[in-house]
């Protein structure tokens, strides 16, 4: 498993959230999650402009093996989605914490970030999950 | 307790992601399932299928027994080594399992059955074999079954047999491992590893036939030109103690390890059923597109035959079809299939790497289905009903 960047926060359901310098929150799924799912073949992206609630499903990633809902780690408005994933969903397999981001949120309440797991807590959870 | 094949450590050393598959700890992939799929379609890949069950049947009445046990007719097996695909049915015509039977001698047939059905298959076969012995003995007096009134039958009535001896001995062979090597270059890569004296003979081995050969260091192999991918290749039965050496030799010969994930997408593209998903004991072969495996040959009294004949006369209410999704999305097991005649269900469904879109088998109400849609998480998506296989010998089939 690749190193988990220390600036990320996580949901137990394996989504990561990164606070960008401009105050927006970038969201993706963890490297652990992509490994569990296997080769991704399809990503259903949310609409730009849609408002999302923390903890509710906003996107779907499908691997050969399974479909998996992606939950919003934070409430707010979708301001951008990663259109590259339409043609190359496998970017998530290759670079889950970088090029494989899924959507960008303008948060309505940044305090929600504090409720998420930090990188160490998530790593512990992922390790347990491995076996 | 999870069972492990003799290759378990080998898979882990190759970085396999392991999953529980019907009680067996098996590799789902060694990195990318899609790359493994392509390796089999384009070159050669290998699967550890040692979890599958080998059952040997011996005895003078084995062929007669198999005439009774299997829905396909072992009378098609005339040449030693020849193989036959068949369903094993219950009295209601439901599928207990699908299997391959090899004809290895007049008194020796080999069955390869699924891993997930091992216990019930063994119990069923033993139960049927015991009942068959009793029938066989009485039938000598009644003359019910031609071919059963043989020397063996007569002696058994005369009490000349050992106590507990049976006409058909059922013997599981857990000491065997099995490696499937599949792909356009699979056969040549395997043949290169065989003892020189065996090479030309195995080169000429016909499809759906098997023969013994010597592998690396003279290890004894049972090489069958069968598979579950829609590609040419071999399924090799090898004594467990030689399996790791054989695997390593195949790896060195350029055969790519492939996991059960790729095996599933390959067999789906090839139009091959998966037991438990595409058919089970509640499904008749007519409803699982396995009519071609039912031999209604004159006078053969096989288990389930009366029900199958009645179903054939009346017509079945459900049929199995192939579906192709041209839009984005993935068809998956359990999704509802909406047709003009009512709702059906997806059986096996997946993204098909060779086609770069999703395909599926579905069981739907019989009759012209009209415009068919699949309910993918609340969204109704139009699909095409097609004849499958979807892929054969590396290429998409016509109309897919």
């Amino acid at each position: 498993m690749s190193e988990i960047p220390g600036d990320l926060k996580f949901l137990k359901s394996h989504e990561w959230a990164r606070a960008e310098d401009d105050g927006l929150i970038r969201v993706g799924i963890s490297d652990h999650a992509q490994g569990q799912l296997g080769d991704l073949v399809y990503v259903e992206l949310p609409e730009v402009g849609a408002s999302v609630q923390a903890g509710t499903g906003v996107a779907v990633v499908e691997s050969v093996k399974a479909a998996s809902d992606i939950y919003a780690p934070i409430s707010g408005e979708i301001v951008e989605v990663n259109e590259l994933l339409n043609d190359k969903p496998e970017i998530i397999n290759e670079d889950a914490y970088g090029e494989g981001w899924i959507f960008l949120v303008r948060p309505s309440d940044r305090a929600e970030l504090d409720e998420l797991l930090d990188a160490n807590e998530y790593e512990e959870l992922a390790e347990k999950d491995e076996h | 307790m999870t069972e492990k094949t003799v290759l378990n450590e080998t898979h882990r050393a190759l970085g396999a992601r392991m999953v529980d598959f019907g009680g067996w700890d098996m590799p789902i992939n060694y990195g990318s399932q899609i790359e493994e799929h392509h390796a089999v379609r384009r070159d050669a890949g290998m699967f550890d299928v040692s979890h599958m069950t080998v059952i040997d049947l011996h005895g003078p009445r084995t062929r007669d027994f198999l005439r009774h046990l299997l829905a396909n007719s072992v009378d098609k097996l005339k040449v030693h080594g020849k193989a036959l695909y068949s369903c094993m049915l219950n009295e209601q015509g439901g599928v207990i399992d699908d299997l391959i039977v090899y004809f290895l001698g007049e008194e020796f047939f080999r069955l390869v059955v699924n891993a997930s059905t091992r216990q019930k298959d063994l119990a069923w076969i033993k139960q049927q074999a015991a009942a068959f012995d009793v029938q066989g003995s009485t039938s000598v007096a009644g003359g019910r079954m031609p071919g059963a009134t043989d020397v063996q039958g007569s002696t058994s009535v005369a009490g000349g047999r050992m106590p507990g001896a049976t006409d058909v001995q059922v013997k599981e062979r857990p000491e065997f491992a099995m490696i499937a090597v599949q792909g356009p270059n699979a056969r040549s890569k395997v043949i290169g590893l065989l003892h020189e004296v065996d090479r030309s003979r195995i080169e000429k081995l016909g499809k759906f036939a098997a023969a013994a050969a010597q592998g690396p260091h003279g290890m004894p192999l049972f090489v069958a030109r069968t598979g579950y991918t829609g590609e040419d290749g071999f399924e090799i039965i090898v004594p467990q103690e030689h399996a790791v050496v054989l695997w390593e030799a195949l790896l060195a010969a350029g055969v790519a390890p492939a996991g059960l994930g790729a095996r599933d997408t390959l067999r789906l593209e090839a139009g091959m059923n998966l037991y438990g998903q595409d058919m089970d004991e509640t499904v008749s072969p007519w409803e699982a597109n396995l009519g071609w495996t039912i031999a209604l040959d004159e006078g053969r009294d096989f288990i389930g035959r009366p029900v199958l004949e009645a179903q054939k006369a009346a017509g079945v209410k459900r049929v199995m079809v192939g579906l192709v999704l041209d839009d984005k999305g993935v068809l998956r097991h359990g999704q509802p299939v909406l047709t003009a005649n009512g709702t059906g269900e997806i059986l096996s469904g997946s993204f098909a790497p060779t086609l770069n879109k999703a395909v599926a088998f579905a069981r739907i109400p019989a009759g012209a289905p009209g415009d068919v849609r699949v309910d993918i998480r609340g969204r109704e998506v139009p699909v095409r009903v097609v004849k499958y296989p979807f892929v054969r010998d590396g290429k998409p089939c016509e109309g897919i």
Side-chain angles (χ1 to χ4, degrees):
Chain A
M1 191 191 299
S2 71
E3 194 83 346
I4 298 179
D7 59 335
L8 297 187
K9 299 276 207 169
F10 290 88
L11 278 176
K12 278 185 185 165
S13 48
H14 308 289
E15 295 82 355
W16 56 258
R18 174 186 283 129
E20 301 285 355
D21 295 341
D22 54 9
L24 300 179
I25 309 293
R26 200 174 295 275
V27 178
I29 64 168
S30 73
D31 192 57
H32 169 74
Q34 71 75 19
Q36 292 284 337
L37 284 165
D39 293 314
L40 292 177
V41 294
Y42 176 54
V43 180
E44 201 178 300
L45 295 166
E47 299 274 330
V48 171
S51 59
V52 296
Q53 281 290 315
T56 62
V58 293
V60 179
V61 293
E62 297 218 32
S63 69
V64 184
K65 201 165 77 179
S68 183
D69 287 316
I70 304 303
Y71 298 98
I74 192 158
S75 306
E77 183 197 338
I78 304 280
V79 292
E80 196 183 339
V81 297
N82 188 355
E83 303 276 0
L84 285 178
L85 298 176
N86 283 325
D87 291 327
K88 289 188 159 298
E90 65 271 21
I91 298 172
I92 295 177
N93 293 115
E94 290 155 8
D95 189 8
Y97 296 129
E99 295 294 310
W101 65 278
I102 300 174
F103 55 88
L104 199 59
V105 183
R106 184 188 318 281
S108 51
D109 179 9
R110 285 180 67 89
E112 285 175 351
L113 279 180
D114 301 335
E115 292 161 30
L116 301 177
L117 304 175
D118 67 25
N120 287 334
E121 288 166 328
Y122 177 73
E123 190 161 18
E124 218 168 281
L125 181 108
E127 269 169 23
K128 268 188 224 156
D129 205 36
E130 279 284 330
H131 275 289
Chain B
M1 180 69 193
T2 311
E3 298 200 67
K4 293 185 167 114
T5 76
V6 71
L7 289 162
N8 192 277
E9 286 304 318
T10 309
H11 301 316
R12 290 174 179 276
L14 286 165
R17 181 173 292 275
M18 307 296 286
V19 293
D20 180 89
F21 180 82
W24 290 79
D25 186 48
M26 299 300 286
I28 183 94
N29 65 57
Y30 300 81
S32 167
Q33 165 174 353
I34 290 179
E35 281 170 28
E36 292 161 23
H37 179 109
H38 291 319
V40 172
R41 286 272 179 259
R42 295 167 187 168
D43 183 13
M46 61 179 162
F47 307 86
D48 176 14
V49 287
S50 305
H51 57 309
M52 295 191 74
T53 309
V54 180
I55 302 168
D56 284 348
L57 303 178
H58 291 275
R61 296 185 62 224
T62 301
R63 187 187 281 272
D64 258 343
F65 173 61
L66 290 170
R67 279 191 187 108
H68 175 63
L69 184 76
L70 302 179
N72 207 339
S73 176
V74 288
D75 290 336
K76 294 175 185 171
L77 298 174
K78 296 188 170 76
V79 179
H80 284 199
K82 196 74 184 132
L84 182 75
Y85 173 76
S86 180
C87 288
M88 180 166 73
L89 306 178
N90 60 25
E91 300 286 358
Q92 295 75 44
V95 184
I96 294 176
D97 202 3
D98 63 335
L99 54 82
I100 291 180
V101 54
Y102 295 94
F103 171 40
L104 301 180
E106 274 314 319
E107 301 189 2
F108 177 19
F109 289 73
R110 169 166 289 171
L111 308 181
V112 177
V113 307
N114 280 301
S116 55
T117 51
R118 176 175 157 265
Q119 278 174 336
K120 74 164 185 177
D121 286 5
L122 276 166
W124 177 259
I125 293 167
K126 284 177 180 166
Q127 180 196 331
Q128 295 305 322
F132 192 73
D133 279 341
V134 174
Q135 280 178 14
S137 304
T138 52
S139 78
V140 173
R144 184 183 61 86
M145 203 180 301
T149 54
D150 55 13
V151 177
Q152 176 71 22
S154 312
T155 38
S156 75
V157 169
R161 284 194 305 180
M162 299 285 290
T166 57
D167 290 348
V168 181
Q169 291 112 48
V170 180
K171 190 176 168 198
E172 195 195 349
R173 303 297 302 271
E175 73 276 24
F176 284 140
M178 202 180 322
I179 300 172
V181 189
Q182 303 274 294
N185 300 325
R187 285 168 62 232
S188 67
K189 288 184 181 188
V190 170
I191 288 165
L193 299 177
L194 300 179
H195 193 292
E196 271 175 42
V197 300
D198 291 328
R199 286 184 191 168
S200 73
R201 188 169 47 88
I202 299 301
E203 180 79 55
K204 290 183 204 121
L205 189 66
K207 288 200 173 177
F208 243 69
Q214 287 179 70
H217 315 294
M219 66 173 72
L221 304 178
F222 176 87
V223 180
R225 195 168 164 196
T226 52
Y228 195 46
T229 61
E231 299 299 323
D232 206 342
F234 293 127
E235 293 179 300
I236 304 170
I237 297 177
V238 55
Q240 270 184 356
E241 63 269 29
H242 299 300
V244 172
V245 172
L246 178 60
W247 180 276
E248 302 288 354
L250 288 162
L251 195 63
V255 180
L260 293 182
R263 189 168 161 82
D264 193 51
T265 51
L266 287 159
R267 68 92 196 164
L268 173 62
E269 286 185 347
M272 295 170 174
N273 288 15
L274 171 63
Y275 189 81
Q277 190 148 289
D278 300 314
M279 74 290 200
D280 58 29
E281 293 186 25
T282 69
V283 174
S284 122
W286 303 125
E287 301 170 314
N289 251 356
L290 293 172
W292 63 277
T293 71
I294 300 169
L296 295 173
D297 41 351
E298 191 65 35
R300 188 170 65 93
D301 167 34
F302 67 84
I303 300 166
R305 177 166 185 156
V307 178
L308 291 195
E309 285 182 332
Q311 287 172 342
K312 192 183 182 196
V316 288
K317 294 190 176 65
R318 306 178 295 175
V319 293
M320 187 162 143
V321 296
L323 302 179
V324 174
L325 174 62
D326 292 310
D327 290 338
K328 288 192 168 183
V330 184
L331 302 173
R332 297 194 191 276
H333 178 68
Q335 288 168 349
V337 180
L338 314 168
T339 80
N341 305 306
T343 303
E345 184 184 30
I346 293 206
L347 308 165
S348 292
S350 178
F351 176 77
T354 308
L355 305 166
N356 206 29
K357 51 188 167 189
V359 299
F361 301 145
R363 192 164 291 118
I364 60 172
D371 288 334
V372 177
R373 289 143 295 136
V374 173
D375 181 339
I376 302 182
R377 294 186 306 279
R379 199 162 53 97
E380 283 187 20
V381 184
V383 291
R384 281 187 293 128
V385 175
V386 298
K387 284 221 185 307
Y388 55 84
F390 304 99
V391 176
R392 257 301 135 87
D393 294 324
K395 292 180 200 70
C397 294
E398 207 156 306
I400 307 298

